[in-house]
Amino acid sequence: MKETKIILSEKEMPKQWYNITADMPNMPKPPLHPGTRQPVGPDDLSAIFPMALIEQEVSQQRWIDIPEDVLEIYSLWRPSPLYRAHRLEKALGTPARIYYKYEGVSPAGSHKPNTSIPQAFYNKKAGIKRIATETGAGQWGSSMALAGNLFGMDVTVYMVRVSYDQKPYRRITMETWGATVHPSPSKVTQTGTKALEADPDNPGSLGLAISEAVEDAATHDDTNYSLGSVLNHVCHHQTVIGLEAKKQFEIAGDYPDIIIGCCGGGSNLAGVSFPFLQDKINGKDLRVIAAEPASCPTLTKGEFRYDFGDVAGLTPFLMMYTLGHDFIPPGIHAGGLRYHADAPLVCQLYKDGLIEAQAYHQMSVFEAAMQFARTEAIIPAPETAHAIRGAIDEALKCKEEGKEKTILFNLSGHGYLDLQAYSDYMEGKLSDYEYPEEKIREALSKLPVL
Ligand SMILES: *Cc1c(COP(=O)(O)O)cnc(C)c1O
């Protein structure tokens, strides 16, 4: 019988995270303080992050030990399986071999707990009692709620008001794990109170929710802030995905020619690809593709320059491909991919030609999601479906060219809490959005020149 799942034992779980800055041909430019416009130092960050994470943020040490307590919690769902997509390959009639790493097996249903768990751990160790964070549709908030629960910490989540009202299931998930969830804008913070005074029906935005969470953390000594993507330490934590995949490919006697990850802030793409990119930097022939939405085309249409990490302009300036921090992308269902920029590490690697990018329209993404659900059976998150579109397109190219390539994509999460999106697709209510060139130009024109 041909093998479908390649499974590692818990003993084979990676004991260290990989830090790609040790091997990058060019280091990303440093984050700049929004006031002084000088590189930020550890002291600038210590009001909202624990020192261990700040050290990882600036570290150039190739390997970072994963603490024993983190490994123990990882073992609740890790190592995650690597699947060979036999049924999808057959449906496509492709000579390509398609593999996917399934991160939907985590309790929160995505890759995000790979970083929320260590983030909670380091904060707890630093004496922090509570984490304040924001969430859009709820993927990050639920991953942080899970981590807080497992380490006995309080978690306060500011959830964008429209999602709070329209998508109750992730809120209920967070509450089940003991988190306190406020619709944002809330009356808990000054930022939220002001926004509500101006407009009591304010639907909220991710930028506003970030501002509330940062204010909460900065004004309480026992509270820190936590971010689910973009930062270097988040990318390092996610490399457990690619490190496991490497061992699984060894067992399969194969090696990927093409690696694809969907790209919102860049963390799951970083996670699946960075350990393989180490080989590419050392001469291996291999392509890495970031799959992004055509309606929020950060890498393919953005500019490489300093911009704020958040919509409100509270964070340091980061060197990224950006559409402008106040660009508001159209309301596609892949909410996790609507970030205006990408992780500085991913951006630098893209700039240096080590990563490629491809933008996909919503309808073709859902077509791919449906084909995947009807062959491989897992219903993927709409975000993940961008990577699936990419994998299917590459597999069809192999068919045309008669080439037997090995394709790996990261199945970053399942879509069982996103079924409304599937319903809308099946009822013909979804459409493609034009590439919002005018709005992007407008948002970029407002950026400071640094
Ligand atoms: C949050 C999320 C993403 C996007 O974030 P990245 O940092 O780009 O990985 C992708 N897929 C799923 C399932 C998510 O929850």
Side-chain angles (χ1 to χ4, degrees):
M1 219 181 92
K2 50 189 187 180
E3 221 166 354
T4 301
K5 292 189 298 306
I6 300 144
I7 311 263
L8 299 175
S9 73
E10 285 176 22
K11 282 200 286 295
E12 292 168 290
M13 200 155 58
K15 304 290 185 293
Q16 293 175 311
W17 293 299
Y18 172 56
N19 175 0
I20 198 167
T21 62
D23 293 305
M24 285 169 77
N26 294 301
M27 283 294 290
K29 289 196 184 164
L32 301 182
H33 190 282
T36 63
R37 300 193 174 177
Q38 294 299 309
V40 293
D43 291 347
D44 297 318
L45 301 170
S46 62
I48 56 171
F49 292 115
M51 207 37 85
L53 289 177
I54 296 172
E55 276 164 16
Q56 290 182 9
E57 192 60 21
V58 298
S59 164
Q60 287 182 49
Q61 192 184 310
R62 182 171 291 114
W63 298 102
I64 299 169
D65 288 340
I66 306 176
E68 201 59 44
D69 293 7
V70 171
L71 286 172
E72 201 177 288
I73 292 178
Y74 273 178
S75 74
L76 290 173
W77 72 94
R78 305 211 72 85
S80 71
L82 179 75
Y83 280 80
R84 172 85 185 268
H86 290 297
R87 300 172 60 84
L88 176 63
E89 288 170 20
K90 195 168 166 209
L92 296 173
T94 177
R97 290 182 294 279
I98 306 175
Y99 296 82
Y100 56 94
K101 186 76 170 148
Y102 186 35
E103 291 298 307
V105 293
S106 86
S110 77
H111 65 291
K112 288 190 172 79
N114 295 334
T115 187
S116 69
I117 299 295
Q119 288 193 42
F121 168 80
Y122 290 117
N123 275 293
K124 168 117 182 173
K125 220 175 136 203
I128 293 298
K129 301 268 183 297
R130 187 169 68 97
I131 297 284
T133 195
E134 77 287 340
T135 200
Q139 288 105 322
W140 172 243
S142 53
S143 301
M144 201 64 236
L146 167 73
N149 175 59
L150 292 172
F151 282 109
M153 300 177 81
D154 293 334
V155 174
T156 304
V157 183
Y158 295 88
M159 184 176 192
V160 177
R161 161 122 241 162
V162 268
S163 301
Y164 184 94
D165 292 337
Q166 288 172 3
K167 299 177 180 174
Y169 292 112
R170 281 210 178 85
R171 168 176 63 77
I172 297 165
T173 307
M174 292 184 258
E175 288 169 347
T176 304
W177 282 324
T180 304
V181 187
H182 300 297
S184 167
S186 75
K187 286 188 180 144
V188 181
T189 66
Q190 281 188 12
T191 315
T193 306
K194 256 188 234 155
L196 285 174
E197 274 165 16
D199 175 10
D201 298 322
N202 191 318
S205 69
L206 206 52
L208 205 48
I210 293 177
S211 309
E212 287 203 88
V214 171
E215 181 188 321
D216 186 335
T219 53
H220 294 90
D221 282 346
D222 65 349
T223 304
N224 266 350
Y225 175 68
S226 183
L227 209 60
S229 186
V230 180
L231 298 179
N232 297 358
H233 66 264
V234 177
C235 294
H236 306 337
H237 297 162
Q238 292 295 350
T239 60
V240 285
I241 303 171
L243 292 167
E244 284 178 8
K246 266 183 135 170
K247 290 190 187 177
Q248 287 162 314
F249 270 100
E250 258 172 49
I251 293 169
D254 208 342
Y255 190 92
D257 297 298
I258 304 172
I259 299 175
I260 306 171
C262 66
C263 191
S267 74
N268 88 88
L269 171 73
V272 70
S273 69
F274 282 5
F276 292 96
L277 276 176
Q278 185 187 24
D279 296 346
K280 184 177 167 97
I281 291 165
N282 291 324
K284 191 106 181 168
D285 191 19
L286 154 79
R287 292 172 60 207
V288 172
I289 305 173
E292 61 182 20
S295 57
C296 188
T298 40
L299 291 172
T300 51
K301 303 279 189 191
E303 283 181 20
F304 192 47
R305 60 190 290 177
Y306 274 111
D307 192 5
F308 290 112
D310 66 317
V311 189
L314 288 170
T315 68
F317 286 112
L318 301 173
M319 190 67 184
M320 305 179 286
Y321 280 86
T322 179
L323 303 173
H325 63 274
D326 65 359
F327 167 68
I328 298 173
I332 53 166
H333 272 291
L337 304 189
R338 293 175 72 230
Y339 184 60
H340 67 275
D342 291 301
L345 289 180
V346 167
C347 291
Q348 186 64 49
L349 291 160
Y350 177 70
K351 170 84 178 158
D352 292 337
L354 287 158
I355 293 179
E356 306 165 30
Q358 189 74 47
Y360 300 99
H361 281 288
Q362 178 161 259
M363 293 300 280
S364 77
V365 163
F366 270 91
E367 248 167 58
M370 295 295 285
Q371 185 167 26
F372 189 82
R374 289 176 178 185
T375 51
E376 294 295 315
I378 295 166
I379 299 180
E383 289 85 357
T384 307
H386 289 70
I388 299 176
R389 175 78 266 162
I392 290 177
D393 285 359
E394 290 297 330
L396 291 174
K397 222 182 287 167
C398 288
K399 180 180 177 178
E400 238 168 64
E401 296 170 356
K403 285 189 180 148
E404 263 188 53
K405 288 191 180 151
T406 300
I407 300 169
L408 164 65
F409 73 86
N410 191 33
L411 209 169
S412 55
H414 66 63
Y416 298 111
L417 293 174
D418 302 295
L419 291 177
Q420 188 60 47
Y422 282 86
S423 166
D424 289 352
Y425 176 75
M426 287 185 281
E427 288 177 22
K429 289 183 189 162
L430 292 192
S431 58
D432 286 338
Y433 289 94
E434 283 306 309
Y435 156 56
E437 191 169 0
E438 202 46 52
K439 283 197 178 137
I440 291 172
R441 205 177 308 133
E442 198 185 308
L444 283 173
S445 72
K446 287 189 232 156
L447 290 189
V449 181
L450 295 181

Short mmCIF file of all heavy atoms in Angstrom, two decimals, residues 110-112 139 229 262-268 336-337 381 383-384 412-413, ligand 1:
data_model
loop_
_atom_site.label_atom_id
_atom_site.label_comp_id
_atom_site.label_asym_id
_atom_site.label_seq_id
_atom_site.Cartn_x
_atom_site.Cartn_y
_atom_site.Cartn_z
N SER A 110 -4.95 25.94 13.87
CA SER A 110 -4.00 26.56 12.94
C SER A 110 -2.58 26.45 13.49
O SER A 110 -2.36 25.90 14.58
CB SER A 110 -4.33 28.04 12.74
OG SER A 110 -3.90 28.82 13.85
N HIS A 111 -1.62 27.02 12.75
CA HIS A 111 -0.22 27.03 13.16
C HIS A 111 0.05 28.00 14.30
O HIS A 111 1.12 27.96 14.90
CB HIS A 111 0.65 27.42 11.96
CG HIS A 111 0.40 28.83 11.49
ND1 HIS A 111 -0.79 29.21 10.87
CD2 HIS A 111 1.15 29.95 11.56
CE1 HIS A 111 -0.73 30.50 10.60
NE2 HIS A 111 0.43 30.98 10.99
N LYS A 112 -0.87 28.91 14.61
CA LYS A 112 -0.57 30.01 15.52
C LYS A 112 -0.14 29.58 16.94
O LYS A 112 0.70 30.26 17.54
CB LYS A 112 -1.74 31.00 15.57
CG LYS A 112 -1.83 31.82 14.27
CD LYS A 112 -2.82 32.95 14.39
CE LYS A 112 -2.79 33.87 13.18
NZ LYS A 112 -3.51 33.33 12.02
N GLN A 139 -8.54 33.98 15.07
CA GLN A 139 -7.53 32.89 15.05
C GLN A 139 -6.41 33.14 16.06
O GLN A 139 -6.02 32.24 16.78
CB GLN A 139 -6.90 32.74 13.66
CG GLN A 139 -7.81 32.15 12.62
CD GLN A 139 -8.31 33.21 11.67
OE1 GLN A 139 -8.59 34.33 12.07
NE2 GLN A 139 -8.44 32.86 10.40
N SER A 229 2.20 37.37 14.48
CA SER A 229 2.91 37.20 13.20
C SER A 229 3.95 38.31 13.07
O SER A 229 4.22 39.01 14.05
CB SER A 229 1.90 37.25 12.05
OG SER A 229 2.54 36.96 10.82
N CYS A 262 0.73 30.26 2.28
CA CYS A 262 -0.03 31.49 2.14
C CYS A 262 0.67 32.56 2.98
O CYS A 262 1.39 32.24 3.93
CB CYS A 262 -1.49 31.30 2.55
SG CYS A 262 -1.75 30.94 4.30
N CYS A 263 0.47 33.82 2.61
CA CYS A 263 1.22 34.87 3.28
C CYS A 263 0.32 36.02 3.71
O CYS A 263 -0.18 36.77 2.88
CB CYS A 263 2.33 35.35 2.34
SG CYS A 263 3.51 36.43 3.18
N GLY A 264 0.10 36.11 5.03
CA GLY A 264 -0.64 37.22 5.61
C GLY A 264 0.36 38.18 6.24
O GLY A 264 0.64 39.25 5.72
N GLY A 265 0.95 37.74 7.36
CA GLY A 265 2.07 38.46 7.95
C GLY A 265 3.37 37.73 7.63
O GLY A 265 4.46 38.24 7.83
N GLY A 266 3.24 36.48 7.16
CA GLY A 266 4.40 35.73 6.71
C GLY A 266 4.87 34.62 7.65
O GLY A 266 5.85 33.94 7.36
N SER A 267 4.17 34.41 8.79
CA SER A 267 4.74 33.49 9.78
C SER A 267 4.63 32.01 9.39
O SER A 267 5.56 31.25 9.62
CB SER A 267 4.14 33.73 11.16
OG SER A 267 2.82 33.26 11.26
N ASN A 268 3.51 31.60 8.79
CA ASN A 268 3.44 30.17 8.45
C ASN A 268 4.32 29.86 7.25
O ASN A 268 4.90 28.77 7.15
CB ASN A 268 1.99 29.69 8.29
CG ASN A 268 1.42 29.86 6.90
OD1 ASN A 268 1.56 28.98 6.05
ND2 ASN A 268 0.77 31.00 6.64
N GLY A 336 -7.20 36.55 7.60
CA GLY A 336 -5.82 36.45 8.08
C GLY A 336 -4.79 36.93 7.07
O GLY A 336 -3.61 37.03 7.39
N LEU A 337 -5.21 37.19 5.84
CA LEU A 337 -4.25 37.63 4.82
C LEU A 337 -4.42 39.11 4.49
O LEU A 337 -3.88 39.60 3.51
CB LEU A 337 -4.40 36.80 3.54
CG LEU A 337 -4.26 35.28 3.66
CD1 LEU A 337 -4.21 34.64 2.28
CD2 LEU A 337 -3.01 34.89 4.45
N ALA A 381 -8.83 26.33 5.73
CA ALA A 381 -9.13 27.74 6.01
C ALA A 381 -9.02 28.52 4.70
O ALA A 381 -8.19 28.19 3.85
CB ALA A 381 -8.12 28.28 7.03
N GLU A 383 -7.60 31.23 4.14
CA GLU A 383 -6.22 31.71 4.01
C GLU A 383 -5.37 30.63 3.34
O GLU A 383 -4.69 30.86 2.34
CB GLU A 383 -5.61 32.02 5.40
CG GLU A 383 -6.17 33.25 6.09
CD GLU A 383 -7.46 32.95 6.88
OE1 GLU A 383 -7.93 31.79 6.84
OE2 GLU A 383 -7.98 33.88 7.53
N THR A 384 -5.44 29.43 3.93
CA THR A 384 -4.66 28.29 3.42
C THR A 384 -4.96 28.01 1.96
O THR A 384 -4.09 27.57 1.21
CB THR A 384 -5.01 27.03 4.24
OG1 THR A 384 -4.85 27.32 5.62
CG2 THR A 384 -4.14 25.87 3.85
N SER A 412 -2.04 25.59 6.63
CA SER A 412 -1.87 26.35 7.88
C SER A 412 -3.02 26.20 8.85
O SER A 412 -2.84 26.40 10.05
CB SER A 412 -1.63 27.83 7.56
OG SER A 412 -2.68 28.34 6.75
N GLY A 413 -4.22 25.87 8.36
CA GLY A 413 -5.32 25.68 9.30
C GLY A 413 -6.55 25.11 8.62
O GLY A 413 -6.69 25.20 7.39
C1 LIG B 1 -3.42 33.84 10.74
C2 LIG B 1 -3.44 32.81 9.69
C3 LIG B 1 -2.69 32.95 8.49
C4 LIG B 1 -1.90 34.18 8.14
O1 LIG B 1 -0.85 34.51 8.98
P1 LIG B 1 0.69 34.26 8.62
O2 LIG B 1 1.43 35.01 9.66
O3 LIG B 1 0.93 34.78 7.24
O4 LIG B 1 0.92 32.81 8.70
C5 LIG B 1 -2.72 31.92 7.57
N1 LIG B 1 -3.45 30.81 7.78
C6 LIG B 1 -4.19 30.65 8.90
C7 LIG B 1 -5.00 29.40 9.07
C8 LIG B 1 -4.21 31.64 9.89
O5 LIG B 1 -4.93 31.46 11.00
#
